[in-house]
Amino acid sequence: MRFRLGKPSDAKRLSQIHSKIKEVNGLGIFVLMGGRFLKTYYSIVLEDPNSYCLCAVNDDGLIVGYTFNLIDSEIHHQFLYSHKIRLALSAFGTLCRKPKLVIELYRRYKSLKSNDGVYAASKGARGGYWGWDPDYKDPESSLELRERMSLITDALGIKTLSFEVDLDNSKVYKFHKWAGAIEDEIVILPDGRKRALMHYDQSTRRRLLKL
Amino acid sequence: MNEFIDNFCEILEDTDVSTISSNSHFKELEEWSSLMALSLIAMVDENYNVSLSADDIRNAKTLEDLYNLIQSKR
């Protein structure tokens, strides 16, 4: 397994992996919005100078896992907002087929516009997503990817990394608590899900693996 | 060893624990995943005060391999 930084040209593959994971783990708004929207979203994330992404690439040169973080959530939200037309166009087809999604998407849009922190941390560095192709079983490399990303986070001088976990993901939530994450708040999302807003102090975070 | 197997079984969700023994190839379990590996690392650290490396997990095939590795690191 090789590791390399993600680039905008990786957006399609990252969106494919994201979709596959949700096929296994359940449905989030991003997946419900469809592949075109996801690809656009990842293109924007990877174009954002405030993001950094690490990819795991197998021997055939295929990305099988990735993780990205944001150096500054507020600036990232502004960046996303500045691409709202692009996102809206990519969402158009899905919204025509599934008009009920308009409500949830509009909530997200309002939250993004006001940077109110309803769905995720509104300022400072934030963990984005950690995804692994479910068809490519290699949990050891997946953990290695995550740990290497944490080393990059340290190298960038980031001291505190915020992130969010839905309480339904009880294993993930429990793991983060074990790893030293500090719980800031439990919020209830507009769709009723309970979400923990948490953060790591990078200096006290338990290392996942010895590399 | 039995205690280790019991601890391991506690992190399983979908596997019939009666099929788990010291010879079980844990990475061949259908539910073996990143999430389960996270739980395994946390369980080993909490119960045995041992930090596993990516290679430790890679090199272990059976639960007995893992148990022996943990004992050698204590």
Side-chain angles (χ1 to χ4, degrees):
Chain A
M1 192 66 65
R2 286 177 292 132
F3 298 93
R4 68 161 172 81
L5 297 175
K7 296 179 283 295
S9 57
D10 299 320
K12 184 177 179 183
R13 179 62 187 145
L14 267 50
S15 65
Q16 285 171 344
I17 294 174
H18 191 133
S19 296
K20 278 189 183 180
I21 294 164
K22 291 297 182 178
E23 280 170 17
V24 175
N25 291 338
L27 295 172
I29 180 73
F30 280 85
V31 172
L32 290 172
M33 289 307 301
R36 193 165 165 231
F37 179 86
L38 257 184
K39 188 188 164 205
T40 303
Y41 169 74
Y42 274 106
S43 293
I44 295 168
V45 165
L46 293 167
E47 286 165 16
D48 183 353
N50 274 289
S51 72
Y52 56 105
C53 175
L54 187 66
C55 298
V57 181
N58 72 5
D59 293 341
D60 298 325
L62 183 72
I63 294 174
V64 293
Y66 68 94
T67 177
F68 74 87
N69 289 344
L70 306 160
I71 295 169
D72 188 312
S73 294
E74 188 171 8
I75 294 174
H76 176 68
H77 290 159
Q78 289 167 3
F79 191 78
L80 268 181
Y81 185 73
S82 71
H83 287 86
K84 58 185 180 295
I85 303 294
R86 211 169 137 197
L87 280 166
L89 287 174
S90 68
F92 184 73
T94 302
L95 292 178
C96 288
R97 288 192 304 276
K98 303 173 188 170
K100 282 184 180 174
L101 289 176
V102 171
I103 297 167
E104 181 57 27
L105 202 63
Y106 182 66
R107 283 183 187 139
R108 300 274 179 153
Y109 169 77
K110 274 204 313 185
S111 178
L112 181 69
K113 189 178 178 184
S114 60
N115 194 33
D116 59 10
V118 166
Y119 291 92
S122 59
K123 58 184 178 182
R126 178 166 79 85
Y129 197 82
W130 169 36
W132 196 267
D133 187 338
D135 293 333
Y136 194 91
K137 215 170 181 179
D138 186 353
E140 300 93 310
S141 295
S142 173
L143 301 189
E144 197 176 333
L145 169 74
R146 189 179 162 82
E147 199 59 25
R148 289 190 185 282
M149 185 63 159
S150 193
L151 294 177
I152 294 174
T153 300
D154 290 339
L156 292 173
I158 291 167
K159 307 289 184 206
T160 303
L161 188 73
S162 300
F163 62 98
E164 60 281 345
V165 183
D166 287 351
L167 296 192
D168 287 344
N169 295 328
S170 57
K171 271 191 179 176
V172 178
Y173 175 68
K174 193 179 164 192
F175 169 78
H176 283 303
K177 297 275 263 189
W178 168 81
I182 297 154
E183 189 172 291
D184 298 315
E185 194 182 354
I186 303 272
V187 296
I188 298 175
L189 299 184
D191 62 10
R193 280 181 295 165
K194 284 186 180 171
R195 175 169 286 184
L197 304 182
M198 309 175 89
H199 75 270
Y200 278 115
D201 177 336
Q202 285 292 103
S203 64
T204 57
R205 186 185 72 85
R206 276 200 210 200
R207 299 293 146 177
L208 192 55
L209 291 171
K210 284 182 187 167
L211 294 175
Chain B
M1 183 70 206
N2 288 338
E3 183 194 304
F4 177 68
I5 292 173
D6 288 344
N7 289 332
F8 181 82
C9 287
E10 279 183 22
I11 63 177
L12 298 174
E13 280 185 351
D14 304 324
T15 307
D16 177 2
V17 295
S18 67
T19 63
I20 301 296
S21 71
S22 58
N23 294 321
S24 294
H25 288 235
F26 63 97
K27 286 181 284 185
E28 290 176 12
L29 295 174
E30 201 170 328
E31 67 172 297
W32 176 244
S33 65
S34 309
L35 212 50
M36 195 177 150
L38 288 178
S39 302
L40 176 65
I41 289 169
M43 182 276 279
V44 169
D45 181 79
E46 271 179 7
N47 293 301
Y48 305 97
N49 202 23
V50 168
S51 298
L52 294 174
S53 70
D55 284 338
D56 289 338
I57 301 176
R58 261 192 204 106
N59 294 334
K61 288 190 170 65
T62 65
L63 284 181
E64 187 170 15
D65 294 341
L66 208 51
Y67 176 75
N68 290 336
L69 185 74
I70 292 164
Q71 294 305 318
S72 70
K73 286 190 160 199
R74 291 180 85 181

